[in-house]
């Protein structure tokens, strides 16, 4: 992987750090997807109930203004 990152960095004129950051962002996306799939599975099995969006936002401390950013 290290050699591939070095070659890519040379070909694109970017640093290996740039590529690592892109990989980390992708990993975060994959983790989010996995977490959502797990929650959805619990919902389908009846282990969790759906809640209204407003309630979810309240529990997470998110306001409508936060969504506009």
């Amino acid at each position: 992987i290290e050699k591939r990152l070095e070659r890519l960095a040379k070909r694109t004129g970017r640093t290996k750090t740039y590529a690592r950051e892109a990989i980390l962002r992708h990993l975060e996306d994959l983790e989010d997807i996995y977490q959502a799939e797990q929650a959805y599975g619990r919902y389908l099995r009846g282990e969790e109930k759906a809640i209204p969006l407003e309630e979810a936002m309240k529990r997470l401390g998110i306001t409508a203004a936060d969504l506009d950013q």
Side-chain angles (χ1 to χ4, degrees):
I1 294 172
E2 189 69 24
K3 287 180 182 180
R4 289 174 70 186
L5 284 173
E6 287 174 10
R7 284 194 304 267
L8 181 61
K10 286 179 185 176
R11 285 197 318 250
T12 62
R14 299 182 182 203
T15 64
K16 290 189 292 183
T17 302
Y18 178 83
R20 283 190 179 101
E21 289 173 3
I23 291 167
L24 287 174
R25 282 193 303 273
H26 184 67
L27 285 174
E28 289 171 0
D29 290 345
L30 290 175
E31 290 166 342
D32 290 345
I33 291 168
Y34 176 76
Q35 186 177 13
E37 288 172 342
Q38 295 300 306
Y40 185 59
R42 290 189 302 271
Y43 168 75
L44 290 177
R45 292 188 301 273
E47 298 168 7
E48 287 187 14
K49 294 182 180 179
I51 60 172
L53 176 59
E54 293 80 11
E55 177 63 25
M57 290 173 60
K58 182 178 176 182
R59 290 183 188 183
L60 295 171
I62 299 171
T63 66
D66 295 327
L67 299 178
D68 292 334
Q69 295 179 6

